[in-house]
Amino acid sequence: MTAVRRAVADDVPRAAHVLAAAFAGYPWTDWVVPPDDRAARLTELQALYLTHAVRHGVVLVDEALNGVVALVPVDAPPPDDATWHAVAALHGDRLERLGAAEPPPPPPGAWTLAALGVLPAARGAGLGSRLVAAALADVGDVPVVLDTSDPRNVGLYERHGFVVVARADVPDGPAVWSMVRPVLRPAGSSAP
């Protein structure tokens, strides 16, 4: 079992490849990323998002770089204009689809679990779960939100304390489950 560590900028190209491979065939990705050169587009999109997350959030990888998880605080600064223009170009005529499943407002102080992916060849050994657990421990006692369009992911996240708070059935697109892991409180503590 390899250790989980914080990613650095030099890890972004490999981590982007991991996420692109993990999201191949993912319902939301297939719907929002055009099919022509999808793998290359997805790798470039993930590199843009991961670069932002490394700067402003928490990105964890295992030592073998078979898996990656990225979280960003809801109040992180938005990506710069050049990044947004690159994102728009990569989504092409499907850019408008990004806003089709509007999630509920996040709780104050929330972080967003923006991406979790494990290379297909490394799946089934618990790496995704280890990455989620490590990332949640890293950000601490704060609410964490996420969206998933794969119903198989709902159970994984529920095992880590997330609950479904909404489901959006996108016309001509995939269903999207919005989930939140509420603030955790140690046993015996009282809520403010």
Side-chain angles (χ1 to χ4, degrees):
M1 181 182 316
T2 63
V4 172
R5 64 172 174 81
R6 280 249 183 158
V8 295
D10 287 347
D11 294 319
V12 167
R14 172 70 180 164
H17 168 75
V18 168
L19 288 177
F23 282 99
Y26 183 71
W28 184 258
T29 301
D30 286 355
W31 194 63
V32 299
V33 178
D36 57 307
D37 297 321
R38 182 174 282 147
R41 286 175 186 259
L42 189 52
T43 301
E44 196 170 337
L45 281 165
Q46 295 298 348
L48 292 167
Y49 295 141
L50 284 170
T51 296
H52 185 74
V54 164
R55 288 183 189 143
H56 302 289
V58 172
V59 178
L60 301 178
V61 296
D62 66 306
E63 283 298 332
L65 279 165
N66 286 325
V68 59
V69 63
L71 291 90
V72 291
V74 170
D75 61 356
D80 60 35
D81 288 344
T83 300
W84 278 126
H85 290 298
V87 166
L90 290 163
H91 282 286
D93 63 357
R94 295 185 175 196
L95 181 64
E96 66 197 38
R97 293 180 178 187
L98 289 177
E102 189 64 34
W111 282 63
T112 299
L113 195 159
L116 168 67
V118 174
L119 286 174
R123 289 181 184 157
L127 178 55
S129 191
R130 283 190 10 248
L131 287 164
V132 170
L136 293 175
D138 195 300
V139 299
D141 188 21
V142 297
V144 179
V145 298
L146 65 86
D147 294 317
T148 183
S149 65
D150 188 334
R152 296 173 296 179
N153 293 343
V154 172
L156 165 70
Y157 293 125
E158 285 175 336
R159 289 190 298 277
H160 289 279
F162 287 85
V163 294
V164 174
V165 293
R167 176 184 161 148
D169 291 309
V170 178
D172 301 320
V176 178
W177 289 264
S178 294
M179 302 183 77
V180 65
R181 185 205 66 167
V183 172
L184 304 176
R185 303 235 180 258
S189 71
S190 59

